[in-house]
Amino acid sequence: MAELQREAEPQLLNGDDLNGDRDDADTSESVKKKRRKKKRTRTAGPAGTNEAEGDGEALGVGDATKQLEQQTLEDKDRAEDGEEDGDEGENSSGKKKRKKKKKKGLKGQTDPPSVPVCELFPSGDFPKGEECEYPPSKDGRSAAWRTTSEEKRALDRANEEMWSDFRQAAEAHRQVRSYVNGWIKPGMSMIEICEKLEDCSRRLIKEDGLKAGLAFPTGCSINHCAAHYTPNAGDPTVLRYDDVCKIDFGTHINGRIIDCAFTVTFNPKYDRLLEAVRDATNTGIRVAGIDVRLCDVGEIIQEVMESYEVEIDGKTYQVKPIRNLNGHSIGQYRIHSGKTVPIVKGGEATRMEEGEAYAIETFGSTGRGAVHDDMECSHYMKNFNVGHVPIRLPRAKHLLNVINENFGTLAFCRRWLDRLGESKYLMALKNLCDLGIIDPYPPLCDIKGSYTAQYEHTILLRPTCKEVVSRGDDY
């Protein structure tokens, strides 16, 4: 019904404009007749006056009809284009408002997604994540005062631009992962999955050099491999029905990174494993907050994860947190900015601080609960703190320039270098790694035959509340 009403309103408006145009046409007709009469009085004799007047009237009516038709066509064009024109100013602005309402929200997104998030929300008012009150302090004092404190609200508003960048990147992430869950299936190659996901992500984030784009390569680690695997060119790996695949990808706006991951399975026998890790991640998010010690977060995560048991192929396993994988603080253009959030007890007593952003991620395993470097390396990242280092190899110099220009201090992979048209760069890349300018991040694996799962969200420790900015309807 609402749609029908929307369609009927412009027709009424056009009808009003048409009546107005007829009045204008009648007025112009009478003015023309008077002018012609004056002209005839000056030039023509008394005998020819009536004939000339009759001709003038006939001519005036013909002109007025043509003018009326032309104006009606012009008004229709203006109404379609949403232009403002004279008396139609109010009507046109009304049409503009209705168009804006249509653009707002996800109604304007295509299938498959292709409209950048910034165009879906032209006002720049991007959807907020889940806003939570901070946990009470050790002595039981509530943190509810932060939401009403004028000082904290003013601090929150002062950083609105930064929060908005995070939210825009998070909305792109939500839409991309929703799209991926619609088509990912057994039998697809890992290269196909990654490239399809990254193409969509680039469109929705509206990739623009270092201002907006992908924050790091798409991780699609399978089974015992827990993290940092993405296929290199020529990798024949195919996703299978019995695989446990961790999809970990990031987006950024102006270096404000969303680091968010989930696990894909097709066989329901892994459901309990996924539930354990998801619960552990949500517990970590719940207890995190300003002045909370990082070691306390790790201890609670471990307690929750180890409370789960899973039965896979007739064998029962206790779910173990992978002790040498952690969550981390996130800085601008810096995915790991110094602080680590452990997922087992015994970590650092460092406290979380107001204004920080964190990736809260947990990994559960049916294996040893520890990972080691294995397989061919695909992930690389420039050392954030590296100064000037003399480089002798010309090809290494060239490669570093390409990396600086396209990735800066954000992570990248070999597929992305291929995409930029680079070739025969492996020796140059090794040279940059040997010099300490670039750090390699090889895949991290538990023992073969084990299964690992991961869930991750980005949280913002705002002055007024904690915002789980990457939260969606899916997890």
Side-chain angles (χ1 to χ4, degrees), residues 41 58 62 68 103 118 124 129 191 193 207 222 237 316 375 390 415:
T41 308
L68 183 61
K103 281 182 183 176
C118 60
I191 289 180
I193 290 168
E207 190 175 40
I222 298 172
T237 308
T316 303
M375 305 195 298
R415 274 189 301 106

Side-chain angles (χ1 to χ4, degrees), residues 73-90:
L73 286 169
E74 284 174 1
D75 290 342
K76 280 183 181 175
D77 291 342
R78 285 193 194 110
E80 284 170 5
D81 295 338
E83 291 178 358
E84 291 186 50
D85 185 31
D87 296 333
E88 297 175 359
E90 288 181 12

Side-chain angles (χ1 to χ4, degrees), residues 110-312:
T110 57
D111 184 22
S114 61
V115 182
V117 167
C118 60
E119 291 177 19
L120 289 174
F121 300 91
S123 64
D125 187 16
F126 301 102
K128 291 181 179 179
E130 178 191 17
E131 292 181 322
C132 319
E133 190 179 293
Y134 285 112
S137 57
K138 289 272 185 183
D139 56 9
R141 282 182 302 156
S142 168
W145 64 273
R146 285 182 169 273
T147 56
T148 54
S149 164
E150 276 305 318
E151 182 191 350
K152 296 301 179 188
R153 287 163 78 173
L155 278 170
D156 205 24
R157 287 192 297 271
N159 289 312
E160 190 57 40
E161 194 176 331
M162 178 172 71
W163 309 139
S164 182
D165 286 344
F166 275 115
R167 287 171 192 148
Q168 183 180 347
E171 181 59 26
H173 197 286
R174 272 189 292 272
Q175 292 192 31
V176 172
R177 70 190 193 229
S178 173
Y179 168 62
V180 169
N181 276 316
W183 51 256
I184 191 168
K185 61 181 187 290
M188 296 182 74
S189 72
M190 303 316 293
I191 289 180
E192 182 188 359
I193 290 168
C194 291
E195 288 184 346
K196 199 170 178 181
L197 183 154
E198 288 165 3
D199 286 346
C200 179
S201 197
R202 286 188 176 99
R203 284 194 302 271
L204 297 200
I205 205 71
K206 202 172 185 180
E207 190 175 40
D208 181 18
L210 293 175
K211 291 181 183 176
L214 310 186
F216 52 86
T218 303
C220 52
S221 308
I222 298 172
N223 298 336
H224 71 289
C225 182
H228 296 173
Y229 164 77
T230 197
N232 289 323
D235 189 327
T237 308
V238 170
L239 186 62
R240 298 169 304 177
Y241 175 76
D242 281 328
D243 284 341
V244 179
C245 181
K246 282 72 66 185
I247 301 291
D248 187 354
F249 70 100
T251 52
H252 82 93
I253 298 288
N254 296 318
R256 305 300 179 184
I257 298 168
I258 293 297
D259 186 359
C260 188
F262 60 99
T263 301
V264 174
T265 59
F266 307 101
N267 193 326
K269 69 182 179 181
Y270 302 115
D271 288 354
R272 187 74 175 157
L273 173 63
L274 270 58
E275 185 188 338
V277 180
R278 191 164 48 237
D279 190 7
T281 297
N282 286 329
T283 301
I285 290 167
R286 190 174 67 251
V287 301
I290 295 167
D291 290 334
V292 172
R293 298 191 308 173
L294 296 170
C295 57
D296 293 339
V297 177
E299 188 172 350
I300 296 168
I301 286 172
Q302 180 176 11
E303 188 180 315
V304 169
M305 187 143 358
E306 289 182 347
S307 69
Y308 282 83
E309 285 186 343
V310 297
E311 186 179 326
I312 299 172

